[in-house]
């Protein structure tokens, strides 16, 4: 089973995404509320995929992507962004994210992005 870590500063968004992922058959192994937590949790949990919010307190998602890439160059990260953050998405992809999904989450788009990351 594919292990996923959810990173978002909004507990409600983590809950919504977790519900979608569990229904799709993924195992949610951890959650983080900001980029700094995400880096620590990534090292501890070593998930197969990370869903990463862009705008968060303490450390934003793009900085967290760069730091996690230093730990694991093969990390598979999908960015989660609100509408109107296209410029940040480009920056996130350049930092090492492999795809993005837009909030509010559409289950079929979440599944498509994760399958792409897994090479399915």
């Amino acid at each position: 089973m594919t292990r996923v870590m959810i990173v978002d500063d909004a507990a409600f968004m983590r809950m919504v995404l977790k519900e979608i992922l569990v229904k799709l058959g993924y195992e949610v192994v951890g959650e983080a509320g900001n980029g700094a937590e995400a880096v620590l949790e990534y090292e501890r949990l070593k998930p197969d995929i990370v869903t990463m919010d862009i705008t968060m307190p303490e450390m934003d998602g793009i900085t967290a992507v760069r730091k996690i890439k230093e730990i694991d160059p093969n990390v598979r990260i999908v960015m989660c962004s609100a509408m109107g953050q296209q410029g940040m998405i480009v920056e996130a992809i350049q930092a090492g994210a492999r795809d993005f999904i837009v909030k509010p989450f559409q289950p079929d788009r979440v599944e498509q992005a994760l399958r792409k990351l897994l090479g399915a």
Side-chain angles (χ1 to χ4, degrees):
M1 186 180 276
T2 303
R3 302 165 69 249
V4 182
M5 181 174 80
I6 300 171
V7 184
D8 198 305
D9 59 325
F12 175 74
M13 282 296 166
R14 292 197 306 266
M15 185 187 75
V16 168
L17 191 52
K18 184 175 185 172
E19 271 180 30
I20 292 170
L21 292 169
V22 169
K23 278 185 187 149
L24 292 172
Y26 294 94
E27 180 187 2
V28 176
V29 293
E31 298 180 17
N34 63 52
E37 267 179 42
V39 175
L40 294 172
E41 285 297 285
Y42 184 83
E43 282 190 283
R44 189 174 73 81
L45 298 169
K46 299 281 192 278
D48 300 309
I49 292 177
V50 178
T51 67
M52 181 79 70
D53 188 22
I54 292 180
T55 311
M56 294 180 290
E58 207 168 316
M59 181 190 291
D60 67 73
I62 294 168
T63 305
V65 168
R66 289 192 181 110
K67 293 205 177 290
I68 292 172
K69 286 281 293 181
E70 288 171 16
I71 298 165
D72 179 1
N74 300 312
V75 63
R76 291 180 281 209
I77 300 176
V78 60
M79 300 306 288
C80 303
S81 73
M83 287 302 232
Q85 292 182 321
Q86 283 83 354
M88 292 173 126
I89 290 168
V90 170
E91 195 179 339
I93 300 288
Q94 289 168 341
R98 302 216 190 153
D99 204 348
F100 68 94
I101 46 181
V102 178
K103 298 173 186 177
F105 299 118
Q106 304 295 323
D108 55 341
R109 177 65 188 111
V110 172
E111 183 174 26
Q112 180 189 9
L114 297 194
R115 282 180 179 225
K116 181 178 158 188
L117 259 62
L118 295 168

